[in-house]
Each structure stands twice: as C-alpha cells, then as structure tokens.
Amino acid sequence: MILSSLQRLRDYFDSGITKNYDFRKAQLKKLKASILKHEQDLYDALYADLKKSPEETWVTETGLVISELNAAIKNLYQWMQPETVDTNLLNLPSTSKILKEPLGVVLIIGPWNYPFQLLINPLVGAIAAGNCVVLKPSEFASATEAVMKKVVEDVFPSEYILYVQGDGAKVVPEMMNNFSFDHVFYTGSTSVGRIIYKMAAERLVPVTLELGGKSPCVVESDANIKVAARRIAMTKFSNAGQMCVAPDYVIIHESIKEKFISAIKETVEQFFGGKPEQSENYGKIINEKQFDRIAGYLSNGKIVFGGRTDRKNLFIEPTLLDEVKVNDAVMNDEIFGPVMPILTFKSKGEALNIIAGHPAPLAFYVFTSSKAKENDWLNSVASGGSCVNNTSWHLTNHNLPFGGRGFSGTGNYHGKYSFDTFTHKKAVLKTPTWFDPAIKYPPFNGKLKLFKWLIR
Ligand code: NAD
C-alpha cells in the first residue's frame, strides 16, 4: 500500500510539474496560508503536547517557519538561477555553469520536541528546491501531529506531499528498505540517526542528519554574570530543556561560580515565579518515559536549586546540580530536560578535557568580554554551531547554516542552505565547435611541454 503511494510521488515528480518556478512559489504560498489558517489549532496542539504558550510557539515554531517561508518566497527566483563560473585555461573557449536540479522524492523525518518547525522547516526547502516529499512526523507529539496533517493535506495532494503517520521503527524501514529516496532528512537522536544512515547506505541514498548531543557552555571569569545567567536560563529551561541546542552543562570559572548560581536562582524566579508548575511560561515533559529518564539525573551531584517533580503532571522544576562528576550519568547522556550541571575550571585545559569527553557537539557557547578569549575558545572547540555571549539563538538566523558535525550530525539547512540541501548542483561545460585544435587529440608525442603550460 505505502509502496504504491511512494510510486505515485515518483510519477508526479517525473511529470516535471514540480520543477517550474511558478509552481514552487505557489506551493510555498499555499503552505503559508494553511499554517496561518490553522494558527490557533497549532497553539492548542503545542500547548497540549508540551505546554507551550502561544508566544513561545510563535517564536520557536510557527513564526520561525513563516519567516523561512517569506525568505524562500522572496529569494526563490534568484536561488534557482544557474550560476556562471570561470572556465580554466585548458578548457577555453568553453563556458561553464552550474544548474540547480531538484533531487526527486525526498523523505523528511521529524522529532517531538519542536514537532512543527523541525518537520515543516525542511519541507520549505524541499518544496523550494522542486521536490516531492514524504513527511514522517513524530508519533509522540500526537496533538501537533494531527494538526500538521490538516495543514498539509488541506493544500497538497498526496502524490506531491505525502503525510505518513505511525511508529517510526516500523514505517520508516518499510519505506527506506523498499524504495530509493533521493534524499533522507532526519532530525532526532544519534542512536536512531545511525539506523537511518545504515538503511540509506544500502541504497546509496544521501542523508542530512540533524542529531543531538551535549552542548557545553563555558563561562569565563570576565563574563557579564547577570546577562550570562539570563541567556543561559532562557534556553536551558525553555520547552523544559527539551531543546537540541540547549546548553547541556555549564563549565564556569571557579572564581565566579557562587555569584553565577545566585544569578541563575534570581533569574529563574523572575522568569517563572516561585512555582514554575503554575507558570504559563514553563513547559512540561513530553511523556512518562522521558520524565523518568530526566528525574533519574536528580540523584547525581548536589541540588543547589529546584529539584521538585510531579510525575502526574510531567513537571520537573528548573534545577541546578553542583558537585557533579564527569563520569556521572548526567554527564554521559544528553540531558534533554531542565537539569543543569555546573562544573568548574581554573585553567582552560581543564575545561577542554571535560568537553573532549563529548567531541563535536551540536553547539558550543562561550561567555566572555575578551575578544582574545572568544577567538581562542572558538578555535579550540569544534562544534556544529556556536554563540558568543548567547545560547541557541544562532538557529533563528536563516542566513546561518544550521547543523552538526560528527556525532551531532551531518549536513545543514535553513534559508538558502535548505534550498541547497535539496538541490543537486549539476556542472555543465559547453564547448563551441568553431575552435577544435589538433593539439587536444592524439598523437600526443612532443606535446608534454605545452601540456605542462596548460595544466599548472
Ligand atoms: P527519535 O530518534 O526517537 O525520533 C525521531 C524520529 O525518528 C521520529 O519521527 C520517530 O518516529 C523516528 N524513529 C524512531 N525510531 C526509529 C527507527 N528505529 N527507525 C526509523 N525511524 C525511527 O528522536 P526524538 O526522541 O524524537 O528526538 C530527541 C533527539 O533529537 C535528541 O537527541 C535531540 O537532541 C535530537 N534533536 C536534534 C535536533 C537538531 O536539529 N539537531 C533537533 C531536535 C532534536
């Protein structure tokens, strides 16, 4: 059944209709209109799944996608244009250009933590690039999954954009093992990313893997402590810490640790009041399985702030853990919850040793007022992306490529980078026939000197 649906996507793509500029632009506009039509349904769904407020939903989910759509609609014509490039001496008087070809039928698989934007943002790039798309949302954010189905199916026929629900461990292999996609774009855990990569390798399908990991946050002795506390708490406790680019743990210069802890306590109270469970600005954990996993970390180190939980309401208080050891569980796994371990350093080498336990994170953050230290840290830690005196916001600028490296992922997207991810760059060399010197053809004897001049 699913295979015949996939074949219909292939036929639709082969008809050539999706390659047309006007077609692509019209689909982007339809998607935007459908999102805005279902704006309230999306607020309700994201509240039901993760207790996100409408404001948080606009900034981190719907509004983010609308801004990607606006950029794609505005720039699509320019993105699609062939690029003329220089031709080397050997090939003159040929001309050279790069054509932008759609890939074909692509599969996009999303996670549950930002269930809307992490599925629909890549869709924007895939449509802009002229592809047919299979969308596989996460089954764990079920209210959002149901509304996204309406958003998509209201405006797109299933032979163009196919919305496939169900248990990922079942439906994804069913598709990937029986159908050759032209690209698979996966966002989720590193362990499932490895399964996706293996299945793709069997059919030599290219992949983008947007994975997770432990993103470190270094706070130097010369940092603005108050601002650092605010910006770290903001993204560490947003969506109850269930954010792939949340600062996973803080490594702070020993000399300012106590001041920083006080600043974080004050900040959290300002953000969510004394009872975050009653705050409309504080989210909930997605389900019991994740709750139990995160709550398990509370026995590591010493709780200096927070620590209360309520399993029935999937609530875990913003929590600070001191005296954590590098081999504690909370320092081995990606936390993906509102629990923040604080480790200290005296010398940069000590901090680098801690970070080296989890190389190439999705993001690396440093707070410092010294330009020299900023450069030194950026040069010392390889990561997917980075912020200086900030955390996570780099992902909201669509002029920056967003993606990981190594265990945190491969490939990137957002804005023009999304278009490029779903586009094949076809190299074309065009050679006129009026000039066809014999030197280019055998016999080659005696031509070495000339070849050395031409190819250098
Ligand atoms: P997950 O890996 O459990 O699931 C993601 C998707 O994969 C879902 O759609 C699911 O149905 C599907 N899936 C699950 N098991 C599968 C299998 N065996 N075969 C094929 N598909 C399968 O991830 P999650 O728990 O939803 O997301 C949390 C993880 O995602 C965290 O590690 C987080 O850091 C990471 N993440 C990364 C980014 C990023 O942009 N890099 C963004 C959000 C989340």
Side-chain angles (χ1 to χ4, degrees), residues 367-432:
F367 285 79
T368 176
S369 52
S370 146
K371 182 83 188 151
K373 281 187 185 169
E374 166 193 328
N375 288 338
D376 193 27
W377 276 109
L378 291 176
N379 284 330
S380 304
V381 181
S383 66
S386 216
C387 292
V388 178
N389 294 328
N390 209 341
T391 61
S392 314
W393 286 90
H394 61 302
L395 84 85
T396 61
N397 177 2
H398 59 240
N399 297 309
L400 289 171
F402 180 71
R405 52 182 296 177
F407 284 101
S408 61
T410 180
N412 55 57
Y413 71 129
H414 287 181
K416 165 89 160 49
Y417 302 98
S418 294
F419 177 86
D420 289 342
T421 287
F422 292 105
T423 295
H424 174 67
K425 294 196 167 114
K426 183 153 99 180
V428 179
L429 184 84
K430 181 178 174 183
T431 310

Side-chain angles (χ1 to χ4, degrees), residues 115-412:
F116 180 76
Q117 70 105 338
L118 292 173
L119 190 76
I120 307 297
N121 245 359
L123 174 67
V124 174
I127 289 177
N131 299 282
C132 289
V133 186
V134 178
L135 287 173
K136 162 65 185 82
S138 169
E139 59 274 38
F140 297 113
S142 54
T144 313
E145 184 191 25
V147 177
M148 288 194 296
K149 182 175 161 67
K150 282 196 255 167
V151 168
V152 169
E153 294 186 348
D154 266 10
V155 287
F156 299 129
S158 61
E159 61 269 29
Y160 172 45
I161 312 286
L162 179 69
Y163 196 79
V164 177
Q165 292 171 270
D167 175 1
K170 197 169 159 287
V171 298
V172 172
E174 195 182 329
M175 293 190 285
M176 287 187 69
N177 292 331
N178 295 294
F179 182 84
S180 287
F181 287 100
D182 296 290
H183 194 92
V184 173
F185 188 106
Y186 168 81
T187 305
S189 65
T190 302
S191 55
V192 172
R194 196 174 276 122
I195 298 172
I196 301 285
Y197 211 172
K198 278 188 188 155
M199 285 190 286
E202 277 302 313
R203 288 173 177 253
L204 292 179
V205 173
V207 292
T208 301
L209 301 174
E210 296 283 339
L211 311 176
K214 290 185 86 65
S215 297
C217 180
V218 168
V219 184
E220 274 283 5
S221 55
D222 59 3
N224 179 327
I225 298 175
K226 198 171 167 199
V227 171
R230 216 191 274 162
R231 295 185 186 168
I232 292 169
M234 169 71 192
T235 50
K236 178 66 188 183
F237 302 127
S238 174
N239 201 23
Q242 300 161 109
M243 185 195 285
C244 60
V245 282
D248 186 275
Y249 58 99
V250 171
I251 315 178
I252 191 158
H253 194 272
E254 205 185 50
S255 59
I256 55 165
K257 183 177 106 175
E258 294 309 325
K259 278 191 190 152
F260 179 77
I261 290 177
S262 305
I264 286 274
K265 284 182 189 173
E266 209 177 293
T267 303
V268 169
E269 275 173 16
Q270 272 167 9
F271 285 179
F272 311 118
K275 292 194 167 161
E277 61 272 48
Q278 290 171 6
S279 168
E280 280 306 300
N281 295 304
Y282 189 65
K284 71 177 177 79
I285 306 303
I286 185 83
N287 53 31
E288 283 79 8
K289 185 179 162 207
Q290 292 296 330
F291 175 95
D292 293 341
R293 184 186 62 76
I294 302 163
Y297 298 135
L298 298 176
S299 58
N300 292 184
K302 179 181 152 202
I303 294 172
V304 289
F305 182 70
R308 287 182 307 116
T309 64
D310 171 4
R311 193 172 191 271
K312 196 169 140 272
N313 291 307
L314 297 169
F315 164 76
I316 297 182
E317 197 175 13
T319 300
L320 241 67
L321 291 181
D322 195 5
E323 298 173 22
V324 168
K325 296 187 189 63
V326 284
N327 51 2
D328 284 339
V330 75
M331 283 305 294
N332 282 324
D333 317 325
E334 177 183 4
I335 299 167
F336 220 56
V339 176
M340 183 158 74
I342 301 188
L343 296 100
T344 55
F345 72 99
K346 271 190 273 207
S347 68
K348 186 179 164 217
E350 282 175 86
L352 283 175
N353 271 343
I354 299 171
I355 295 169
H358 305 277
L362 184 56
F364 167 70
Y365 307 120
V366 59
F367 285 79
T368 176
S369 52
S370 146
K371 182 83 188 151
K373 281 187 185 169
E374 166 193 328
N375 288 338
D376 193 27
W377 276 109
L378 291 176
N379 284 330
S380 304
V381 181
S383 66
S386 216
C387 292
V388 178
N389 294 328
N390 209 341
T391 61
S392 314
W393 286 90
H394 61 302
L395 84 85
T396 61
N397 177 2
H398 59 240
N399 297 309
L400 289 171
F402 180 71
R405 52 182 296 177
F407 284 101
S408 61
T410 180
N412 55 57

